[in-house]
Amino acid sequence: MSEYIIGIDAGTTGIRTFCFNKSGNVISSAYSEFAQHYPKPGWVEHDAEEIWVKTEKLILKAIRNGKLKPSDAVAIGITNQRETTVLFDKDTGKPVYNAIVWQCRRTSEICMDLKEKGLEPLFRKKTGLVMDAYFSGTKIKWILDNVKGVKAKAEKGKVLFGTIDTYLLYRLTNGKSHKTDHTNASRTLIYNIEKKEWDRELTQILGIPEAILPEAHNSSSLFGRTEKVNGLPDGIPISSLVGDQQGALFGQLCTEPGEAKNTYGTGCFLLFNTGNNFQISKNNLLTTLGCGPEGKTVYCLEGSVFIGGAVVQFLRDNLKFFKESKVSEKLAASVKKEDEVVFVPAFSGLGAPYWDMNARGAILGLTRDTSAEQITRAALKSIALQSYELVEAMENDTGSKLKVLKVDGGATGNSWLMQYQADILGKKVIRPANVDTTVLGAAFLAGLERGFFPSVNDLKKKLKTSKEFSPQMKTAQREKEIQVWKDSVKRIRTNQ
C-alpha cells in the first residue's frame, strides 16, 4: 500500500494539485490555469465555479499521473490565494457572483470612506491590518450592496461567504462543511486576531450578517470529509486549510520566532514569525496569524507586494517581449551596461510599506536607445527591490537583522533574480529544492493531523536546499540602486 497526501494549491492564476509521499517528496502533480476577468480598470474577478471544476479534475489527474489508487489517499490539504472573496448559495454551492480577487481595487472608495470616518485605527487594532481594498471585508460588503437579491438571502442564511479554501472545502464535502482556518480568517478585516473570533463590531460597521461566516479552526484540523467528489471515495479527511503565505512559512518550517521567508509568486510576501508576541507594526507592515510547531497558531509580521512575478507575465502577455517567462532571465543577463531604467509595477496600487491604493505603474528613465532587454531587467529588479523594502521595514519593526532570507515560489527559479536579490539585500538567499513550499506546508499540516508525518522535527530532516546565493554587489552600487528605486516610487505615489 502506497499512502499519500493530496495537496491543492489554489493560486491566483491557476490550480496545481500534488501527491506527496511520507518523505515529503512530490510523487506527481497536475496544473491548469483559469481565466482572469477584468470588467473595469483595476477590477479583477475569477469564476469560482471554474476553479472548483478544474480542481476536481486536477485531483484525479494527479492521482492518475502518479499511477496511484484514490483509496490510498490519507488526507487532503488545501492552500489558497487568501483575500479573494466568494459568496455562494448554501443549497447548491454555486457562486452568486464572480469571486472578487485580492488584487481588485473596486472597494477603494469604501476604504477611503471608512478612513475619513476615523475607523481605520479600530480595524487595525483588532485585525492587525490596514484599511485597504486588498482584504475581504469590503469585498463582501460590495457584493451584498451591489448584487441584486444577495443581501436579503444572506440575512436569511441562504448565502454563505468564503475565501477560496472555504469554497473548495464546501464543494469537496458536498455542502457539509462551512469552515476556514485562522490564517485565512485573519485576512478578512473582520476577524479579531487577539481573541481569534469574528468581530461583531466590525461586521456591523460593514453590514455583514454573521450567519454567512464560516467556523474558524487551527490550520491543522479535521475540517470535513470528501463526499460525492468525482474519482475519489467518500470519507477522505480534509485535514488542513492554510492561506498560501502562511503555508509557505510552514513549508519552509519557519516555526520558531525570528524565522522568516519570502515567497515570489504573482505577488511577493514576506512573513516573519513573532511567536506569541502580538505586535502592531510601526512601519506599515501587517500583523497576521501563522502556524507554529504542530500547526498551532502564532503571530507574524507580513509585508505584501501586489505585483511580483506578475510583472513578467505582463511583459509576456501584454507587451509580447517573449513567449515564455523563463526567457526573462536570459534577457536580463544579456544587459551589460548600467542604466537608471526603473519599472514600478503598481498595476494594482502599492502594497507594503506604502499602501497607496491609487498609485499606478510606470517605467522611468527611458531614452531613445532603451531596449526590451533593459526593461525586462528593470522589471526583474522591481521584484527584488520591493522585497528589499519589506525586509527593511521588518528589521526596523523587530530591531533585529535577518542573517539569511529563505525564498520560495515559482519566480525563484530565475537565478538572475535571486542573485540580484542577494546583492540588493546584502544577505545570503537560500532557495530550497522544492520551491512549491506553499502547498508543501499544506501537505505537512494535513499529514501531521493524521499522523502521516510524526513531528515537525522529523520534517526538518527532510528539507533540502537547492542553491545559496551570496551578495556580490559593492556597497556603493547597492545604495545607489536603492536610492534610484525609492526616488522613482516617490514620483508615482498619490498618498504622500
Side-chain angles (χ1 to χ4, degrees):
M1 182 171 65
S2 300
E3 294 183 331
Y4 59 94
I5 298 282
I6 298 171
I8 300 171
D9 186 356
T12 305
T13 57
I15 302 285
R16 193 181 298 273
T17 56
F18 295 81
C19 298
F20 293 91
N21 62 21
K22 283 201 170 185
S23 297
N25 295 326
V26 176
I27 303 169
S28 60
S29 66
Y31 176 73
S32 178
E33 290 190 354
F34 51 79
Q36 308 291 306
H37 302 279
Y38 308 101
K40 293 183 181 180
W43 291 29
V44 191
E45 295 179 356
H46 293 156
D47 180 352
E49 182 69 14
E50 180 190 6
I51 290 174
W52 159 244
V53 169
K54 291 199 170 181
T55 299
E56 188 178 34
K57 290 179 180 178
L58 288 167
I59 291 170
L60 189 57
K61 187 174 181 181
I63 292 171
R64 287 173 175 167
N65 288 346
K67 299 180 180 178
L68 303 168
K69 293 181 180 178
S71 58
D72 286 342
V74 171
I76 296 173
I78 301 172
T79 187
N80 58 289
Q81 48 163 322
R82 295 172 297 179
E83 299 79 9
T84 296
T85 298
V86 188
L87 266 63
F88 53 95
D89 186 280
K90 183 178 181 179
D91 295 327
T92 66
K94 302 287 185 179
V96 298
Y97 185 78
N98 271 352
I100 301 181
V101 180
W102 59 272
Q103 297 167 319
C104 187
R105 301 281 93 192
R106 79 183 63 192
T107 64
S108 295
E109 289 186 8
I110 297 174
C111 294
M112 290 304 298
D113 181 59
L114 292 166
K115 284 184 177 183
E116 288 170 3
K117 290 177 179 176
L119 291 169
E120 183 171 31
L122 176 68
F123 279 85
R124 188 152 175 74
K125 180 182 179 182
K126 291 188 172 191
T127 70
L129 307 176
V130 298
M131 183 57 65
D132 192 88
Y134 179 22
F135 305 107
S136 309
T138 57
K139 301 180 195 300
I140 301 171
K141 176 177 173 58
W142 189 94
I143 296 174
L144 292 173
D145 291 349
N146 290 276
V147 182
K148 187 176 180 181
V150 171
K151 190 164 190 175
K153 288 183 178 180
E155 288 172 346
K156 294 176 182 177
K158 294 183 178 180
V159 168
L160 302 177
F161 154 72
T163 40
I164 296 297
D165 61 308
T166 299
Y167 183 67
L168 292 179
L169 174 69
Y170 200 79
R171 300 301 293 265
L172 284 166
T173 60
N174 195 32
K176 296 295 190 298
S177 185
H178 181 223
K179 298 178 182 179
T180 189
D181 82 307
H182 295 306
T183 69
N184 278 292
S186 74
R187 310 299 294 187
T188 59
L189 205 64
I190 52 174
Y191 194 71
N192 189 312
I193 63 172
E194 194 167 13
K195 295 181 179 179
K196 299 182 182 63
E197 62 184 31
W198 300 109
D199 193 284
R200 180 166 294 180
E201 184 178 14
L202 301 184
T203 56
Q204 288 178 345
I205 289 170
L206 293 176
I208 298 171
E210 289 185 29
I212 74 172
L213 303 174
E215 294 178 20
H217 300 269
N218 282 335
S219 301
S220 185
S221 301
L222 178 59
F223 288 93
R225 296 179 183 274
T226 56
E227 184 178 305
K228 296 184 179 179
V229 179
N230 184 40
L232 288 182
D234 288 353
I236 297 175
I238 297 97
S239 55
S240 80
L241 302 178
V242 63
D244 52 8
Q245 303 315 316
Q246 290 93 336
L249 187 74
F250 198 82
Q252 291 267 30
L253 296 177
C254 297
T255 57
E256 299 300 326
E259 295 182 320
K261 67 86 203 176
N262 195 32
T263 297
Y264 300 73
T266 301
C268 294
F269 302 89
L270 178 69
L271 264 70
F272 183 96
N273 186 335
T274 60
N276 294 321
N277 181 20
F278 176 32
Q279 176 182 357
I280 297 296
S281 172
K282 296 179 180 179
N283 293 277
N284 287 325
L285 299 177
L286 307 176
T287 307
T288 195
L289 297 177
C291 303
E294 314 309 325
K296 298 296 187 292
T297 305
V298 296
Y299 291 103
C300 299
L301 288 174
E302 176 173 339
S304 308
V305 168
F306 295 154
I307 300 296
V311 72
V312 179
Q313 290 179 315
F314 175 80
L315 296 181
R316 182 193 69 189
D317 300 338
N318 295 53
L319 301 189
K320 311 297 183 184
F321 277 14
F322 36 78
K323 292 183 178 180
E324 295 183 19
S325 296
K326 63 182 180 181
V327 176
S328 63
E329 180 175 352
K330 182 178 179 181
L331 293 182
S334 72
V335 182
K336 303 304 179 185
K337 66 178 181 178
E338 293 302 322
D339 59 41
E340 292 193 1
V341 178
V342 178
F343 196 148
V344 186
F347 305 147
S348 302
L350 289 169
Y354 302 107
W355 297 108
D356 188 339
M357 293 183 286
N358 298 311
R360 288 295 176 263
I363 304 174
L364 302 96
L366 298 177
T367 58
R368 282 286 299 273
D369 63 343
T370 299
S371 65
E373 288 82 358
Q374 287 173 278
I375 293 173
T376 300
R377 182 174 72 170
L380 292 179
K381 283 185 175 183
S382 77
I383 301 172
L385 285 158
Q386 289 177 99
S387 297
Y388 161 82
E389 291 192 296
L390 301 183
V391 173
E392 180 184 47
M394 204 154 290
E395 289 182 337
N396 289 337
D397 265 338
T398 61
S400 62
K401 297 287 185 181
L402 283 179
K403 294 180 180 179
V404 301
L405 181 66
K406 293 183 178 181
V407 300
D408 54 70
T412 61
N414 188 314
S415 292
W416 188 95
L417 170 60
M418 291 298 98
Q419 182 58 54
Y420 184 76
Q421 185 69 86
D423 288 341
I424 213 68
L425 286 173
K427 304 178 190 297
K428 186 179 290 186
V429 168
I430 299 177
R431 181 173 66 194
N434 181 359
V435 299
D436 290 308
T437 52
T438 297
V439 71
L440 183 62
F444 283 168
L445 288 162
L448 286 168
E449 199 278 332
R450 305 313 297 171
F452 187 77
F453 300 122
S455 67
V456 168
N457 286 334
D458 178 71
L459 290 173
K460 286 182 177 180
K461 298 173 185 177
K462 303 179 189 299
L463 283 187
K464 297 177 182 178
T465 297
S466 166
K467 188 172 181 179
E468 295 184 359
F469 299 85
S470 297
Q472 299 174 1
M473 186 181 288
K474 293 181 179 179
T475 301
Q477 181 64 24
R478 176 164 60 246
E479 291 176 349
K480 177 184 176 182
E481 297 207 17
I482 291 169
Q483 191 57 53
V484 170
W485 166 260
K486 287 181 178 289
D487 290 344
S488 299
V489 172
K490 186 176 181 180
R491 291 175 65 180
I492 70 160
R493 287 181 61 191
T494 63
N495 64 355
Q496 298 180 68

